[in-house]
Amino acid sequence: MSKFNKKKKGLPAISTASLPDIVFMLLFFFMVTTTMRETELKINTPVLPSATEVKKLEHKSLVSTIYIGSSKNKNITGDKIQVNDKIINYTEVQSFILAERAERKEDEVPFMTTSIKADKSANVGTILDIKEQLREIQALKISFSVTKGDVSKNF
Amino acid sequence: MARRETPEINAGSMADIAFLLLIFFLVTTTMNVDSGISRKLPEPPPADYKPPVIKQKNVFDIVVNRNNQLLIEGADFIKVKELKDLVVAFIDNGGGIGNPMDGEPAAECDWCNGEKDALSSDHPNKAIIQLQSDRGTSYGMYIAVQNEIEAAYIELRNKYALKKYRTSYTQLQKDMKDAQGSAAKEAIKVKIDDAKKHYPQIIAEPEPIK
């Protein structure tokens, strides 16, 4: 009978020896994909408008971003333009793009895109001023940064 | 000398350390895929540029005022949602003879499904969308209008590509991304360019109203 007399065993402990491996794998994944925010916004973070016909921006290294939003100081009204780490006037957009171009290889310049991240309550006048500036120096590829969603939330 | 065994290093806390780092990167990571409506600006005109004469019927006039209201063709107030269908109807009208393509003589639009109204646009390659905005228009509204125009063109190109290649234009663009090898890419690009050529995006944005 002893053959059938099963011993009562406790559940065997699950081996956690491979847990660090799994965690490290995840860790490396996040370390590689993470991008520390390079620019600290000096304007209020723009609330992007939403649109349905969006295209993903490719070649992130060829994108220069212009931020447009309201000033953090409540007494200052109107749209503020920020590139890199400073707030600029719209006439300085050209020198920003030229500086961006100088950093890239010459054959990459035609593929450079300007991404405009503007708050949805910004004035179109500001945007069109910037577009005119970009046009003058042949920075013709632009992208209006939006989030994917219904357009009726925009106004 | 008695050889001592080196004691094994306790790796039990390794997981804790890794977790700590993992949580740090989890929190700081921002997976923002930058996406948006892409536009190509027109090149600056040469100094002695004379604007071509364009028939009024080939221009679809959209005005957005500073109260974010839309005025179409100087006559109708409409909502943003209605804009797309109007734009599609305008571009796809095909009421006359277009600009010559590929060196062939100018011909009627034989791929259009429009009403062929003599008072609307002649041909997709002549149809111009004119977006006149005010300096005080909100950017959100501006993007909404741009989005509707883009949607209209994509709908037309989809229809065209579906008829000719049995694949929609959006699907072609997806295939282009997934395609392996330059030969396959080139083959899809020909189709995309063909659809683009038959419904070219002509959007004019005059100086904003002050």
Side-chain angles (χ1 to χ4, degrees):
Chain A
M1 285 299 272
S2 61
K3 263 190 182 172
F4 303 101
N5 199 1
K6 273 191 181 160
K7 266 185 198 165
K8 256 197 176 172
K9 262 195 217 163
L11 279 170
I14 297 165
S15 165
T16 55
S18 54
L19 188 63
D21 300 353
I22 299 165
V23 173
F24 264 113
M25 206 173 67
L26 280 168
L27 174 64
F28 286 135
F29 171 71
F30 280 103
M31 274 178 74
V32 170
T33 55
T34 199
T35 46
M36 299 278 177
R37 192 178 271 277
E38 291 146 27
T39 47
E40 198 185 325
L41 284 177
K42 297 199 167 157
I43 54 176
N44 287 324
T45 315
V47 182
L48 298 178
S50 41
T52 50
E53 315 297 325
V54 296
K55 246 191 209 167
K56 268 185 199 150
L57 267 182
E58 280 150 17
H59 311 299
K60 261 198 171 161
S61 59
L62 294 177
V63 174
S64 10
T65 313
I66 298 174
Y67 298 90
I68 299 159
S70 54
S71 172
K72 275 186 178 162
N73 186 341
K74 275 185 191 149
N75 298 325
I76 303 173
T77 54
D79 300 325
K80 293 279 165 268
I81 305 163
Q82 181 181 349
V83 296
N84 291 335
D85 265 337
K86 57 180 189 290
I87 290 176
I88 58 162
N89 196 292
Y90 77 90
T91 48
E92 291 167 78
V93 167
Q94 292 192 344
S95 52
F96 163 67
I97 296 293
L98 292 175
E100 288 277 305
R101 273 186 193 166
E103 285 171 20
R104 308 308 199 279
K105 284 185 213 129
E106 204 172 320
D107 53 343
E108 286 175 342
V109 166
F111 301 102
M112 283 179 65
T113 311
T114 313
S115 167
I116 295 179
K117 289 197 175 178
D119 192 273
K120 61 183 176 186
S121 58
N123 287 337
V124 166
T126 320
I127 313 286
L128 296 185
D129 283 343
I130 290 173
K131 272 174 76 175
E132 198 53 45
Q133 295 288 317
L134 293 175
R135 201 180 149 194
E136 273 172 28
I137 54 162
Q138 302 273 341
L140 300 179
K141 284 180 83 170
I142 59 167
S143 163
F144 298 110
S145 201
V146 294
T147 50
K148 209 168 165 114
D150 193 40
V151 288
S152 58
K153 290 179 211 143
N154 288 351
F155 38 86
Chain B
M1 278 232 305
R3 223 179 221 191
R4 252 196 248 157
E5 292 267 316
T6 40
E8 213 173 287
I9 297 166
N10 183 14
S13 53
M14 181 90 102
D16 301 353
I17 300 166
F19 260 120
L20 200 86
L21 282 167
L22 174 64
I23 289 163
F24 169 72
F25 280 104
L26 260 172
V27 171
T28 56
T29 198
T30 46
M31 295 254 202
N32 53 342
V33 269
D34 210 349
S35 54
I37 298 179
S38 49
R39 280 273 172 274
K40 190 131 201 271
L41 299 176
E43 285 184 23
D48 55 343
Y49 181 74
K50 262 193 217 153
V53 180
I54 294 162
K55 279 190 212 154
Q56 188 58 46
K57 68 170 191 167
N58 280 326
V59 179
F60 189 76
D61 192 26
I62 306 171
V63 181
V64 194
N65 73 3
R66 60 184 59 200
N67 300 323
N68 294 343
Q69 291 164 314
L70 277 174
L71 182 69
I72 298 301
E73 298 280 36
D76 299 320
F77 278 111
I78 60 154
K79 291 200 177 96
V80 176
K81 275 185 188 153
E82 302 164 52
L83 182 61
K84 184 182 152 194
D85 291 336
L86 287 170
V87 173
V88 167
F90 168 75
I91 301 165
D92 212 18
N93 181 53
I97 286 165
N99 289 327
M101 286 164 76
D102 304 329
E104 285 171 29
E108 274 184 37
C109 172
D110 51 9
W111 60 87
C112 291
N113 305 309
E115 293 180 359
K116 308 220 180 291
D117 181 356
L119 296 173
S120 188
S121 79
D122 281 334
H123 194 279
N125 69 19
K126 272 190 176 177
I128 298 171
I129 309 290
Q130 175 172 277
L131 173 56
Q132 170 84 66
S133 39
D134 187 288
R135 283 196 74 89
T137 309
S138 86
Y139 178 64
M141 184 67 189
Y142 177 77
I143 286 297
V145 173
Q146 290 274 8
N147 184 59
E148 294 306 302
I149 297 172
E150 182 82 21
Y153 275 106
I154 286 177
E155 185 185 307
L156 288 168
R157 286 174 183 174
N158 269 345
K159 251 189 218 161
Y160 175 80
L162 210 54
K163 212 163 145 192
K164 191 158 177 189
Y165 302 113
R166 306 195 178 281
T167 328
S168 71
Y169 178 72
T170 27
Q171 186 60 44
L172 282 174
Q173 280 183 325
K174 259 184 217 152
D175 292 348
M176 175 88 170
K177 232 176 243 167
D178 301 337
Q180 305 291 329
S182 57
K185 271 206 168 129
E186 201 56 41
I188 299 171
K189 193 166 184 298
V190 169
K191 293 181 185 174
I192 291 180
D193 286 346
D194 185 52
K196 273 188 187 167
K197 198 176 69 194
H198 285 83
Y199 286 109
Q201 226 172 39
I202 317 172
I203 304 171
E205 288 183 49
E207 287 269 299
I209 307 164
K210 290 252 162 73

